[in-house]
Amino acid sequence: MDNIHIKNFNHSKFWYGLLMVIVGIIMPSIITVNTFSIPEKLNQAIRNEDVIILMVAGLELIALNSLRAFPHYLGAFFITESIEISDNFPFEKLFKSALICLIIPPVYFIIGYVHHIKYYFGMPAFVLIILLMLLGKNDYNRVSGWKKSTLIMVFLTAFQFVDIMPCMEGLPIGRGETSKEVKLIAHFLQADKTVDIMALVFLLLLLFLGALLFLLIRDENNLRSMNALREANRKMEIEAKFTALKNRTFLEMNSLVHDLKSPLTSAQALVGVVKLNCEMDGRSKDVDYLENVELAIKRMSGMISEILYEDYRSLITTDELLQAVLAQISITEYAPYVTVQNEYPKNMLILSKTRMIRVLINLLENAYEATKHTVPNIQIKVSRFFIEDNAWLGFEVSDNGCGIDMKNCDKIWEVGYSTRDSHGLGLSFVKSVVDSYEGWIDIESVTDRGTTIKVVLKEGGQVNG
């Protein structure tokens, strides 16, 4: 047999299931036959020879047994559902079935030991275990837990009626003391058929209701699965379009950069020749001018390389980076609302200047979009801190906008996700760039108060002076 690999373990479901099992063990001390006055009603039914009172006592016994059994059956279900086995394990259903069978009998034993109540592991228990195994399949993991809990409660109550049916007396069913008393009194009152019909009607009604619930759960799960598949296909389509666009842009940029670098290389060679002639003639002032031209050509060539090569990185100060950002947004309508607080202007980073500028501008544009309903207040703040002797720089972009619902904070980085009419590529680009530099992003947001997004990158060095 292949080794069992746990793909996912849901701690909250496990602890909730364990809590319910414990509640199930405690329940017999809280709810007893005396809570519903069942013994008194049974005695009254004998004294008055009243079948109605007997049936009321039987219904109360069903309610008692259902309330007692529901917690530990539900707990067993959630414990098994908390464990998700890897896809390559061929016996997942068998494993979960065995796990349920390992939980219920010991619970029965503990209840009998603690409360001196004999719980029999009969046909209703087996039927419920089969139901739990069906619900425990991964096929129904898209339906909320309370709906499955309701279904378990309905079927649990339904099969409790079998325990009080006199016609089932020869089967391993209804062997509890009170259940036996109900059937004996039914014999005494010659009401066997009446009790059988009453129990059968309730059994069929609850089974019908349970079947409807099961079909609704199945249909809802299938619908949610189809929606999830449709969403996954949509994301794949967007990613494919994005990749195709990126590849086409790369080819176009490659051609453009080649066209730009050719004259630059020629200009650099000509400047070198002229500079050499000036040095031979002793024209030192002209040599200085030509060196500045040569340096400018070299810088331009480096900027072009950054555009073409994503992995191209160079040292840049935080001040140079932010000045370049402010220069690019100077013509935008939100530029007057952007303020910068940089207490570490000389600290350096190793990255692609062009890509990092786009990261910060994307965050600024999103901040401005979030402040359309008010006077924008957009801030860029640079912070510095240490983790295990490593220095990190943080670029915080904060706004006073509408904020982001915290349940969507993880989704905003996904390709194609957008809360406005856009392609949803900006923030996914931001995350991909930050991930490529082995940094991370923190986000804090309060609805109707604003959002702060912090991009954290490892410091690359510091300029002297």
Side-chain angles (χ1 to χ4, degrees):
M1 183 180 293
D2 296 341
N3 292 329
I4 299 174
H5 298 286
I6 297 176
K7 184 167 65 175
N8 185 36
F9 181 70
N10 191 317
H11 291 83
S12 59
K13 278 188 177 181
F14 175 80
W15 290 114
Y16 177 74
L18 187 61
L19 177 64
M20 292 303 293
V21 169
I22 294 172
V23 170
I25 294 172
I26 298 173
M27 191 67 78
S29 65
I30 300 173
I31 302 177
T32 65
V33 290
N34 295 319
T35 305
F36 291 88
S37 303
I38 295 174
E40 289 83 349
K41 287 186 174 64
L42 292 177
N43 290 330
Q44 187 179 356
I46 294 172
R47 288 196 304 270
N48 299 337
E49 296 185 2
D50 193 330
V51 178
I52 302 297
I53 297 176
L54 173 64
M55 289 193 292
V56 170
L59 291 173
E60 290 179 346
L61 177 62
I62 300 302
L64 169 69
N65 290 336
S66 298
L67 289 173
R68 279 178 170 182
F70 179 64
H72 55 257
Y73 277 107
L74 184 64
F77 169 68
F78 275 105
I79 288 174
T80 56
E81 214 180 42
S82 68
I83 303 172
E84 187 177 350
I85 309 300
S86 60
D87 297 332
N88 59 356
F89 182 65
F91 305 106
E92 179 181 6
K93 296 173 188 176
L94 183 61
F95 171 78
K96 289 193 171 185
S97 304
L99 192 59
I100 292 175
C101 292
L102 287 174
I103 293 173
I104 299 298
V107 170
Y108 278 18
F109 175 79
I110 294 171
I111 290 173
Y113 181 79
V114 173
H115 302 289
H116 306 292
I117 298 174
K118 190 75 171 178
Y119 272 30
Y120 291 95
F121 201 75
M123 189 181 76
F126 280 112
V127 173
L128 278 168
I129 286 176
I130 292 171
L131 174 66
L132 295 182
M133 289 186 295
L134 288 173
L135 288 176
K137 290 165 56 179
N138 285 337
D139 300 337
Y140 298 98
N141 62 353
R142 298 187 185 277
V143 181
S144 61
W146 71 267
K147 293 180 181 178
K148 289 184 275 191
S149 302
T150 304
L151 181 62
I152 293 170
M153 186 64 181
V154 169
F155 275 104
L156 175 65
T157 306
F159 286 108
Q160 293 297 329
F161 279 96
V162 180
D163 284 348
I164 64 168
M165 295 176 70
C167 64
M168 298 288 184
E169 194 170 10
L171 300 175
I173 295 169
R175 290 181 291 179
E177 291 182 6
T178 310
S179 297
K180 287 180 179 179
E181 288 180 7
V182 170
K183 288 182 280 191
L184 282 172
I185 296 171
H187 286 310
F188 173 74
L189 299 177
Q190 297 181 348
D192 296 30
K193 289 184 178 180
T194 304
V195 174
D196 282 336
I197 292 171
M198 182 270 295
L200 183 62
V201 168
F202 278 102
L203 172 64
L204 293 177
L205 283 174
L206 288 173
L207 287 178
F208 179 72
L209 178 60
L212 288 179
L213 284 173
F214 184 79
L215 291 175
L216 288 173
I217 286 174
R218 186 196 64 181
D219 291 343
E220 180 184 347
N221 189 80
N222 291 340
L223 183 61
R224 289 178 180 271
S225 298
M226 289 174 61
N227 289 337
L229 183 61
R230 190 181 296 113
E231 182 65 20
N233 290 335
R234 188 183 70 85
K235 287 181 180 179
M236 288 175 61
E237 185 179 351
I238 292 174
E239 288 178 359
K241 289 180 179 178
F242 180 66
T243 303
L245 179 62
K246 188 176 178 182
N247 291 336
R248 189 180 69 182
T249 304
F250 177 80
L251 292 174
E252 292 173 352
M253 292 299 297
N254 192 7
S255 178
L256 177 61
V257 168
H258 180 269
D259 293 343
L260 288 173
K261 278 208 166 189
S262 295
L264 282 178
T265 304
S266 301
Q268 194 170 20
L270 289 172
V271 168
V273 172
V274 175
K275 188 175 76 169
L276 182 61
N277 290 334
C278 291
E279 288 175 349
M280 292 175 63
D281 295 340
R283 293 151 55 190
S284 58
K285 198 167 187 179
D286 291 338
V287 171
D288 292 338
Y289 291 147
L290 291 169
E291 284 180 349
N292 288 333
V293 173
E294 200 172 37
L295 182 60
I297 292 173
K298 186 176 180 180
R299 285 177 178 172
M300 187 177 294
S301 179
M303 290 172 64
I304 293 171
S305 296
E306 284 191 10
I307 295 172
L308 179 60
Y309 303 110
E310 292 185 353
D311 295 333
Y312 182 88
R313 303 182 187 188
S314 60
L315 276 170
I316 182 173
T317 66
T318 60
D319 185 61
E320 289 172 340
L321 178 62
L322 294 180
Q323 289 302 322
V325 170
L326 294 176
Q328 289 202 24
I329 68 169
S330 59
I331 60 173
T332 63
E333 57 184 5
Y334 62 84
Y337 305 110
V338 178
T339 58
V340 176
Q341 182 181 347
N342 185 7
E343 298 178 0
Y344 307 95
K346 300 297 183 182
N347 294 69
M348 303 191 75
L349 297 159
I350 302 175
L351 44 74
S352 167
K353 178 180 175 181
T354 305
R355 284 162 63 81
M356 193 59 197
I357 288 172
R358 288 309 312 163
V359 164
L360 295 176
I361 289 178
N362 267 312
L363 296 179
L364 291 172
E365 288 175 349
N366 278 278
Y368 178 62
E369 288 292 333
T371 57
K372 285 292 185 69
H373 67 289
T374 186
V375 178
N377 179 17
I378 304 170
Q379 297 180 343
I380 306 176
K381 181 181 178 181
V382 180
S383 59
R384 186 171 185 257
F385 56 94
F386 288 86
I387 299 178
E388 296 180 354
D389 297 329
N390 293 320
W392 297 81
L393 292 169
F395 293 84
E396 295 182 15
V397 177
S398 58
D399 63 65
N400 61 330
C402 58
I404 304 171
D405 193 333
M406 291 306 295
K407 68 182 181 182
N408 294 327
C409 281
D410 291 334
K411 298 179 182 178
I412 62 174
W413 310 108
E414 297 177 3
V415 175
Y417 182 84
S418 177
T419 56
R420 60 180 195 273
D421 189 17
S422 69
H423 295 293
L425 300 177
L427 291 179
S428 64
F429 168 78
V430 169
K431 191 171 189 312
S432 66
V433 172
V434 174
D435 288 345
S436 69
Y437 296 145
E438 298 181 353
W440 71 89
I441 303 173
D442 289 331
I443 181 169
E444 294 181 6
S445 188
V446 179
T447 305
D448 297 327
R449 292 186 60 182
T451 302
T452 297
I453 295 180
K454 185 176 183 180
V455 174
V456 181
L457 300 170
K458 194 170 184 180
E459 187 177 336
Q462 189 170 2
V463 176
N464 295 325

